[in-house]
Amino acid sequence: MNLYHSKPNTFVNHVHLKVLNVSRSLDFYQNLMGFQVINQTGKKAVLTADGVRPLVTIEQPDDIISKQERTTGLYHYALLLPSRKDLGKLITLLLREQYPLQGATFHGTHDALYFQDPDGNGIEVAVDTNPSTWRDKTGKLDFSKHGPMNIESIIADANGERWNGLPEGTIMGHIHLHVSDLEKTKDFYHDGLGLDIEMEIPNQAVFFSSGGYHHHIGTNIWNGKNAPKPASNSVGMTFYTLVVSNEETRKKMVMKLEAMGYPVLEENGEFFTEDPAGNRIQLYC
């Protein structure tokens, strides 16, 4: 766990997904990606990298339907690996298995590999660069070196070692969401949850962070402004867990959100809300 993904910062640590076939998904997540299963009951499995901390939960509801396109919801969740060597080993595995990849980008702040699980849930696997290189002299994120990932260099860092499952230091680096309205999204995440607006791409995307990270939450309207919320039984994200520093901070969040017209519901001692696009969030401390 690094300083950007520990308290008192606000960060994402767990994503809950709906899948069409939990056995097929486990073949991908456990046998290919190398997650460990720390709990499995019926058609639900909780997945981890270190045997302790949940990262991804997959569940097959009885009435599940295929993923609905052009809706709000999950764009991707991002697993953050400890080193370029780890990423090189994973890339080598995926190329050897001929698993379809969607992209490989160097963002300046991090290297990012993009693909999907068998149901089309988006996944990014990333490695951060040195935080001292992230910002220009004005303090803004410096993306001047943005471009294609140097895959050959990263594979070389693996030194021919084979992928042996997710390393213990793997954490949830960030989540990126499809939303329906950027201005309402900014109000919710910045004013309501107290996150910093780290970067904006006008009329496209807004990125939020806590504690100076490049982003803990990304949002975009690439599925269309005013995109509808998916059906509740569609493949996709059920909710994600947002960790806040303490109970007092959560109480202030709840008061602020409710004053803004966003209800916060308590369910079995856990607190849930929804952003303006209907993305469900667990507020956890």
Side-chain angles (χ1 to χ4, degrees):
M1 187 73 72
N2 63 38
L3 64 90
Y4 296 111
H5 298 84
S6 57
K7 296 179 179 182
N9 292 320
T10 300
F11 58 96
V12 179
N13 75 339
H14 191 180
V15 176
H16 301 248
L17 303 175
K18 290 167 286 186
V19 298
L20 279 176
N21 185 299
V22 73
S23 296
R24 182 182 67 171
S25 294
L26 278 174
D27 185 51
F28 168 80
Y29 280 104
Q30 190 173 18
N31 298 333
L32 181 67
M33 290 292 292
F35 279 90
Q36 301 173 48
V37 177
I38 53 174
N39 186 33
Q40 184 173 359
T41 54
K43 297 180 179 180
K44 181 177 182 179
V46 183
L47 309 173
T48 178
D50 63 4
V52 178
R53 294 174 300 182
L55 291 175
V56 178
T57 292
I58 56 173
E59 183 172 13
Q60 177 190 335
D62 291 336
D63 60 346
I64 190 71
I65 61 173
S66 297
K67 182 179 179 182
Q68 294 183 306
E69 303 297 330
R70 310 298 296 177
T71 63
T72 61
L74 181 71
Y75 178 47
H76 63 241
Y77 66 84
L79 299 170
L80 186 63
L81 300 180
S83 71
R84 279 169 51 101
K85 180 178 183 177
D86 298 313
L87 183 57
K89 290 192 287 186
L90 176 60
I91 291 172
T92 302
L93 168 73
L94 295 175
L95 292 176
R96 185 173 67 246
E97 297 294 327
Q98 299 184 328
Y99 195 85
L101 304 177
Q102 295 179 307
T105 304
F106 177 66
H107 291 289
T109 53
H110 60 295
D111 281 288
L113 182 72
Y114 300 97
F115 51 101
Q116 294 179 332
D117 76 3
D119 289 293
N121 292 308
I123 301 172
E124 174 184 330
V125 180
V127 177
D128 279 341
T129 56
N130 189 326
S132 67
T133 67
W134 289 354
R135 300 180 185 275
D136 61 23
K137 293 180 179 179
T138 70
K140 293 183 179 180
L141 292 176
D142 181 5
F143 294 110
S144 62
K145 298 179 181 178
H146 177 95
M149 180 193 292
N150 188 338
I151 293 178
E152 293 80 5
S153 172
I154 293 179
I155 288 176
D157 283 354
N159 295 321
E161 295 183 26
R162 295 179 70 89
W163 178 254
N164 192 31
L166 288 169
E168 288 189 2
T170 302
I171 60 175
M172 190 65 65
H174 67 263
I175 194 167
H176 195 150
L177 306 168
H178 289 295
V179 298
S180 54
D181 186 296
L182 290 180
E183 291 304 314
K184 291 180 180 178
T185 298
K186 284 196 291 186
D187 288 344
F188 179 88
Y189 284 100
H190 179 56
D191 296 336
L193 295 182
L195 295 171
D196 298 321
I197 298 174
E198 199 60 66
M199 186 184 70
E200 295 186 56
I201 304 174
N203 300 313
Q204 291 193 56
V206 184
F207 299 86
F208 304 90
S209 79
S210 174
Y213 194 52
H214 51 75
H215 69 297
H216 289 103
I217 298 174
T219 61
N220 71 69
I221 54 169
W222 298 332
N223 273 352
K225 184 174 172 58
N226 300 320
K229 179 180 175 180
S232 60
N233 60 335
S234 168
V235 158
M237 184 179 71
T238 309
F239 65 91
Y240 72 89
T241 301
L242 188 68
V243 180
V244 300
S245 58
N246 53 49
E247 181 62 33
E248 184 61 30
T249 300
R250 183 168 65 180
K251 286 180 180 179
K252 290 179 180 178
M253 280 185 178
V254 170
M255 291 177 63
K256 181 67 174 180
L257 289 171
E258 291 185 334
M260 295 171 65
Y262 297 103
V264 180
L265 303 177
E266 184 176 356
E267 300 175 11
N268 299 318
E270 302 294 344
F271 292 81
F272 292 88
T273 189
E274 288 188 0
D275 73 10
N279 294 306
R280 197 164 189 244
I281 308 161
Q282 178 188 20
L283 301 176
Y284 181 84
C285 62

